C-alpha cells in the first residue's frame, strides 16, 4: 500500500509478482507547483496549465497510478481528477477518510486558552496567512497546529502584525482533541478542502467557521451543545472576518445567514 510516493511506486511496479494499491491524498503535481511558486491557481484551474517540467511530473505520477492494481481516492472530487489524468475508472475506489467522532466533544466548561484554533499543514493554500491577519485585526488569540514549508513566513507575518499567535507545531493525533477543546472557535480557511474531517474537528469547540475559496461553505457551531445551525456561501476572507467578529459579539444565536 503506497500513500503519495509515486516514484517509488513506479519503480516497484516493474518488479515481478508485485501488486500495488495506491492512495492519492491530493494532486501532488499541483502541490509541488504551488510550493515552488510556479502557480497561484487553485487545484481545478491548474489542470491543463502545467509547465513542461510539471507535465513530465504529471506523466510519471499518472503512470505510477495506472500501474497500480487499485487506486484509493478519499473524495469524489479526487475520483474525477484521477479520471481526468487517464486512470481507468474500474481501478479507482472511493474510500473516505474517517475519524473516531467519539473523541471529539466540547469541553465541559466555557473557559478557553485560545479564541481561535486551526489544524492544517502549513502550505499556502490553507490560508493561514489570512487567518493571522484577521485575528490580528480582531485582537483574537490564535493557535496554529501543524507544520509545513510556510511556517517561517507565517511566524514572520504574526510578528510583523503583533498578532497573538501560538505555533504549536505538528502534534500526534491523540493530542489534537484536547487542543481543540482549549479553543472556542475552529477555523479552516482552505482553497481546496472538500472532505468533512473538519466537521469532526469542529465538534470539539464551541464555534466552527470554515471558509473555502472553492466550495465557499461556512458553518457555525453555537452554542456548545447544539448541532450546526447555519450554513452560508462566502466570497472571500473578508466575509469570514465578519463572521468571526459577530461570533464574538453574539451571545445566544447562530450568526451566519441562511
Amino acid at each position: 500500500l503506497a500513500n503519495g510516493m509515486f516514484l517509488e511506486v513506479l519503480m516497484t511496479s516493474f518488479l515481478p509478482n508485485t501488486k500495488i494499491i495506491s492512495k492519492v491524498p491530493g494532486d501532488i503535481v499541483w502541490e509541488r507547483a504551488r510550493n515552488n511558486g510556479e502557480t497561484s491557481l487553485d487545484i481545478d484551474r491548474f489542470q491543463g496549465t502545467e509547465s513542461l517540467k510539471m507535465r513530465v511530473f504529471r506523466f510519471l505520477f499518472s503512470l505510477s497510478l495506472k500501474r497500480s492494481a487499485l487506486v484509493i481516492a478519499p473524495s469524489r472530487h479526487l475520483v474525477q481528477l484521477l479520471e481526468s489524468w487517464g486512470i481507468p475508472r474500474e481501478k479507482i475506489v472511493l474510500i473516505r477518510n474517517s475519524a473516531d467522532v467519539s473523541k471529539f466533544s466540547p469541553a465541559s466548561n466555557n473557559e478557553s486558552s485560545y479564541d481561535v484554533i486551526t489544524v492544517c499543514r502549513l502550505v499556502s493554500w490553507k490560508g493561514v496567512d489570512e487567518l493571522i491577519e484577521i485575528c490580528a485585526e480582531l485582537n483574537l488569540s490564535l493557535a496554529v497546529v501543524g507544520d509545513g514549508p510556510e511556517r517561517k513566513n507565517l511566524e514572520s507575518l504574526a510578528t510583523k502584525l503583533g498578532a497573538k499567535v501560538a505555533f504549536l507545531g505538528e502534534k500526534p493525533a491523540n493530542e489534537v482533541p484536547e487542543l481543540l477543546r482549549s479553543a472556542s472557535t475552529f477555523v479552516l480557511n482552505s482553497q481546496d478542502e472538500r472532505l468533512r474531517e473538519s466537521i469532526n474537528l469542529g465538534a470539539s469547540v464551541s464555534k466552527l467557521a470554515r471558509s473555502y475559496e472553492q466550495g465557499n461553505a461556512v458553518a457555525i457551531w453555537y452554542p456548545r451543545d447544539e448541532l450546526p445551525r447555519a450554513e452560508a456561501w462566502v466570497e472571500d476572507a473578508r466575509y469570514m472576518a465578519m463572521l468571526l467578529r459577530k461570533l464574538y459579539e453574539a451571545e445566544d444565536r447562530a450568526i451566519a445567514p441562511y
Side-chain angles (χ1 to χ4, degrees), residues 59-257:
F59 172 79
L60 295 173
F61 179 39
S62 299
L63 181 59
S64 72
L65 298 176
K66 291 175 183 177
R67 293 189 62 83
S68 299
L70 289 174
V71 180
I72 298 171
S75 70
R76 293 191 183 279
H77 177 242
L78 278 172
V79 169
Q80 294 170 352
L81 285 178
L82 286 166
E83 290 181 301
S84 74
W85 301 335
I87 313 305
R89 183 62 183 87
E90 60 270 17
K91 283 192 173 186
I92 304 172
V93 180
L94 173 63
I95 302 178
R96 298 188 184 277
N97 293 334
S98 61
D100 184 350
V101 295
S102 66
K103 295 181 179 179
F104 295 89
S105 59
S108 58
N109 59 62
N110 291 323
E111 295 182 4
S112 299
S113 301
Y114 306 101
D115 295 315
V116 178
I117 190 169
T118 190
V119 182
C120 63
R121 185 167 172 243
L122 302 187
V123 288
S124 60
W125 58 90
K126 296 296 184 179
V128 180
D129 54 343
E130 290 181 336
L131 185 55
I132 291 172
E133 292 170 357
I134 289 167
C135 287
E137 177 185 331
L138 302 180
N139 195 30
L140 299 176
S141 59
L142 169 65
V144 178
V145 179
D147 213 335
E150 284 295 303
R151 178 164 178 168
K152 287 186 178 180
N153 291 336
L154 295 170
E155 288 174 335
S156 296
L157 176 64
T159 300
K160 177 182 177 181
L161 298 177
K164 297 181 288 186
V165 183
F167 290 90
L168 304 181
E170 189 172 348
K171 296 293 182 180
N174 63 338
E175 293 183 16
V176 172
E178 191 60 36
L179 286 170
L180 289 165
R181 281 188 282 270
S182 71
S184 61
T185 307
F186 171 74
V187 178
L188 180 63
N189 183 38
S190 178
Q191 290 184 11
D192 183 73
E193 203 73 44
R194 290 168 174 81
L195 308 180
R196 296 192 175 185
E197 293 77 40
S198 59
I199 298 299
N200 295 329
L201 294 176
S204 294
V205 299
S206 59
K207 312 175 187 76
L208 169 71
R210 290 185 302 146
S211 173
Y212 297 164
E213 187 168 306
Q214 295 298 309
N216 298 333
V218 167
I220 304 300
W221 256 254
Y222 195 92
R224 289 175 180 269
D225 58 349
E226 295 189 8
L227 293 174
R229 295 176 54 187
E231 184 167 309
W233 298 104
V234 298
E235 295 299 329
D236 53 33
R238 290 292 90 202
Y239 189 75
M240 184 181 69
M242 182 273 288
L243 290 178
L244 284 173
R245 181 180 289 110
K246 288 191 174 182
L247 266 176
Y248 284 89
E249 294 172 353
E251 292 296 332
D252 59 358
R253 59 190 175 90
I255 58 84

